[in-house]
Amino acid sequence: GQGPALPVVVMASDRIVLPVEGGPGAANDPSPIAETWQRWNDYGIGLLLEGGDKGGQKGELRQAEAVFKKVADLGLADGWVNLARVYLREGRIPDAREALEKAAAHPGAAAPWVINWLTGQINERNGLLDEAIASYESVLASRVPDRGFDFSGDYEVINALGGALYARARQEPTQDPAREHFLRRAVEAYRRTLAIDSENSSAHFGLGLAYAGLSREAGPGILPPPRDDRRPVAGLERAIIELAMAATEAGVGPDLRGARAVDLAATISRFLAMPPPEFVSRPEPLHEVVERLGPACAAESDPAARAAMARALKVAHAALHAMFKPDVTAEGRAVAVARRDNPAADQNAQSIVIHSLHRPGAPGVEAAPAAGPKDAVE
């Protein structure tokens, strides 16, 4: 009773009175959820969402499959769509594709953007990247003004598009214009996400990969040599901002812009190797690099200067990803400590929790006796 007051939204509620022998009869009102299919569908969604995405903690997917088949039997396309979600979670890709085909052919077809989103994931897993890219772009282009729907800002879909474009680039030979074309498109996609959420770790990770690819596309040995006028250790955060401005200066030649970008990458690495300075924001100068150098790299026509800028951007985005990604090590340690110290929390941390009705302390069951001296010694 001392936890934070979290907002709770009641989607629906119901109540049933059970008859007891010797007691009054039970008269129950009809469920407020009148549609039978909706109750089945909501039940299936609960089963689907109960678990995680990995290992044996994926929830009750077999039960969810049976429930969504019932929804499909009741004549609703939602049953086939949600069956596709179950099959995707289980890795049953051919079954997922078949379910989506039935959903799309259904007389009361489900929302096309949902079908395109799931189809894109299926195509991506099957290596059909051009088809996956088209599906994701179709979702982002979806607009339903009457319902206030505009999916152009859905950064989960944007990131999926960026990932598919990066994977598509890797199918082309190195130093091939097609490879660079897809890498540039991947950069554009991930930068759309950062325009919505500047701390999105997935976008920073994807940009680090894409810019690393672009820095290599110019060919080996094309990067200009680093200059020797290194900034002093003090004030490196300011030096980063100044170098970002200098590397994007339009009035100088491409050789100098490229050399400054090489200097910038080295300065960022030195900045990250230092202990965090007091009263200085580590992400702030890196955000400045991203905002200034990103558009300049896209507009740069000189291959060497563009490769140097891409190298600096790769270092900046990799650093920002490391700063913003969840600390899974700390999370794992905290969970392990909590589960070790609290048996009830340990049991309830499972995706599927089954409580024994005969456990000590359960209603109607006597509590376990306190340990005596002999028990404590043992």
Side-chain angles (χ1 to χ4, degrees):
Q2 298 178 359
L6 300 177
V8 176
V9 177
V10 178
M11 305 298 293
S13 64
D14 200 358
R15 178 175 179 270
I16 185 170
V17 179
L18 298 176
V20 179
E21 184 177 358
N28 294 292
D29 297 328
S31 170
I33 306 176
E35 297 288 343
T36 301
W37 76 267
Q38 188 175 350
R39 297 202 298 274
W40 278 101
N41 198 57
D42 290 347
Y43 177 42
I45 290 173
L47 293 169
L48 172 63
L49 299 180
E50 189 173 17
D53 293 324
K54 298 178 180 178
Q57 300 297 316
K58 292 185 178 181
E60 299 179 282
L61 297 182
R62 187 61 58 86
Q63 295 88 331
E65 178 184 7
V67 170
F68 289 136
K69 284 182 176 179
K70 176 68 175 179
V71 176
D73 291 341
L74 291 172
L76 276 297
D78 302 67
W80 295 114
V81 171
N82 288 325
L83 273 171
R85 297 182 194 273
V86 171
Y87 296 146
L88 271 172
R89 180 77 66 85
E90 290 187 313
R92 297 162 58 183
I93 304 304
D95 291 336
R97 176 177 290 280
E98 182 181 353
L100 280 182
E101 290 173 351
K102 291 181 178 179
H106 197 279
W113 52 87
V114 176
I115 293 179
N116 285 331
W117 166 240
L118 296 174
T119 301
Q121 296 176 64
I122 292 172
N123 285 331
E124 187 171 1
R125 294 193 190 187
N126 281 331
L128 304 174
L129 297 177
D130 289 322
E131 291 84 349
I133 291 167
S135 295
Y136 294 145
E137 288 177 333
S138 176
V139 176
L140 294 171
S142 298
R143 308 284 191 279
V144 187
D146 294 344
R147 301 178 64 181
F149 288 173
D150 181 354
F151 294 97
S152 61
D154 190 328
Y155 55 75
E156 293 291 339
V157 183
I158 298 173
N159 284 345
L161 172 62
L165 288 165
Y166 176 75
R168 180 65 181 85
R170 290 172 59 84
Q171 291 182 339
E172 301 293 339
T174 56
Q175 276 79 60
D176 189 289
R179 188 182 183 98
E180 182 176 347
H181 167 73
F182 285 112
L183 287 172
R184 284 174 171 268
R185 288 182 62 189
V187 167
E188 291 173 3
Y190 285 126
R191 283 184 63 84
R192 285 174 63 182
T193 291
L194 293 187
I196 302 168
D197 176 11
S198 63
E199 298 184 0
N200 188 283
S201 62
S202 297
H204 285 297
F205 180 76
L207 282 165
L209 294 176
Y211 279 123
L214 285 172
S215 69
R216 293 189 293 265
E217 282 308 294
I222 197 171
L223 289 178
R227 291 165 33 176
D228 296 326
D229 56 342
R230 291 283 187 262
R231 301 296 200 277
V233 173
L236 280 180
E237 68 281 353
R238 186 61 210 170
I240 289 173
I241 296 175
E242 291 175 357
L243 279 170
M245 296 171 62
T248 57
E249 188 177 346
V252 299
D255 291 343
L256 187 53
R257 290 198 299 272
R260 289 171 175 174
V262 171
D263 259 0
L264 174 59
T267 305
I268 293 173
S269 297
R270 294 178 64 207
F271 176 65
L272 296 172
M274 293 172 53
E278 195 173 12
F279 308 121
V280 172
S281 168
R282 288 171 72 85
E284 183 177 355
L286 301 179
H287 279 305
E288 186 77 15
V289 171
V290 167
E291 290 302 314
R292 286 185 175 275
L293 211 60
C297 181
E300 180 60 61
S301 58
D302 181 76
R306 185 169 62 247
M309 291 179 181
R311 173 73 62 83
L313 285 163
K314 175 257 182 186
V315 175
H317 282 293
L320 287 168
H321 168 256
M323 293 176 187
F324 295 138
K325 71 176 182 179
D327 190 337
V328 293
T329 301
E331 178 185 353
R333 288 175 177 172
V335 170
V337 170
R339 296 184 70 165
R340 180 196 65 200
D341 295 344
N342 190 325
D346 181 36
Q347 183 178 14
N348 284 279
Q350 302 295 325
S351 293
I352 301 173
V353 181
I354 301 175
H355 291 282
S356 171
L357 298 179
H358 304 288
R359 68 189 186 279
V365 180
E366 294 183 2
K374 181 176 182 296
D375 297 326
V377 171
E378 292 180 348

